[in-house]
Amino acid sequence: MAAEFLGTLLLVFFGVGAAVLAAEYVGTLGIALSFGFVLLALVYAIGPISGSHVNPAVTFGMFLAGRLDLDVAIKYWVAQLVGGIAGAALLFLVAKQVPGLETSGSFGSNGFGDRSAVHINTGGAFVAEIILTFLLVYTWLAVTHRVAVVGFDGLPIGIALAVVHLVGIPLTGTSVNPARSLGPAVFAGGAALTQLWLFIVAPLVGAAAAAYVHVLTHPQPNRRPRREMKVG
């Protein structure tokens, strides 16, 4: 739980921080690489401890795939959501020290309609987040065999997160992670909070789809029932 809390905090601070503090200098590509590189670093730092999910959607996919018990998944979700808020709080503290930097309304939060760079509508944003999350969680399930991430497993996972940001930033700002969306929305307020539901529900739907498809493409006839699975 400590690893998931710290990992989510760092993902939000550096990933969303690139959007809030450095977007003018690094652009969309830089923001996407920030998310991908931070996740890649975290995979090697805390992957052997918790799996470095740092994302409730990934944990949900792992649970549906039978790799986590429900009680463990709930603990992960709590740690991730609190970590996301803590990371956003630290970022908010830093942003407030930058003269002229506006933090209300946006603050790296996700959105659709007039809060989207391309003004994507609600349905389009929902479908986009499902597809983007599907790629991330499917990749995660496909390259790992248990909860922990080992060896070179982190490379395709980090690349997948960077790719979904390249596509998703103009659409919704890219969530694919309810904890990443919750933290900035708390400090942005207003429409960021009223639209938050989509960035919680759609990633979980995408994760569920990924878990189902993974079973079809990577059948495991000898897999034990979920009730027998443990974290180790």
Side-chain angles (χ1 to χ4, degrees):
M1 288 182 68
E4 286 298 305
F5 168 82
L6 177 61
T8 311
L9 182 157
L10 294 173
L11 179 71
V12 169
F13 182 86
F14 286 99
V16 179
V20 172
L21 302 173
E24 178 182 352
Y25 306 99
V26 301
T28 299
L29 177 60
I31 297 170
L33 291 178
S34 294
F35 273 99
F37 285 153
V38 171
L39 181 58
L40 179 58
L42 290 172
V43 161
Y44 286 103
I46 63 174
I49 301 171
S50 68
S52 186
H53 297 179
V54 298
N55 183 342
V58 171
T59 298
F60 189 50
M62 287 284 186
F63 166 70
L64 293 179
R67 301 185 192 179
L68 279 178
D69 288 333
L70 179 59
D71 61 331
V72 177
I74 292 173
K75 292 176 182 178
Y76 271 40
W77 289 328
V78 172
Q80 292 157 357
L81 294 174
V82 175
I85 295 173
L90 289 176
L91 178 60
F92 185 78
L93 178 63
V94 172
K96 280 299 184 181
Q97 313 312 310
V98 180
L101 182 63
E102 182 62 46
T103 55
S104 62
S106 180
F107 193 58
S109 59
N110 303 114
F112 50 87
D114 59 0
R115 301 188 67 250
S116 161
V118 296
H119 299 280
I120 192 170
N121 61 28
T122 306
F126 198 90
V127 172
E129 285 292 331
I130 289 175
I131 297 172
L132 296 174
T133 308
F134 176 91
L135 173 61
L136 178 64
V137 177
Y138 180 80
T139 301
W140 210 295
L141 292 172
V143 302
T144 60
H145 299 286
R146 302 180 74 176
V147 175
V149 184
V150 297
F152 290 99
D153 292 349
L155 289 176
I157 293 172
I159 291 172
L161 186 61
V163 168
V164 300
H165 274 81
L166 285 174
V167 175
I169 286 174
L171 301 177
T172 63
T174 310
S175 171
V176 305
N177 183 339
R180 170 262 181 270
S181 295
L182 173 63
V186 167
F187 293 91
L193 283 173
T194 60
Q195 294 185 352
L196 179 62
W197 67 270
L198 187 146
F199 303 105
I200 295 176
V201 177
L204 295 180
V205 173
Y212 175 75
V213 173
H214 176 260
V215 172
L216 298 179
T217 59
H218 297 71
Q220 301 175 53
N222 297 320
R223 190 183 72 179
R224 291 176 291 163
R226 183 183 294 113
R227 65 179 179 274
E228 298 179 12
M229 299 295 288
K230 299 298 178 183
V231 176

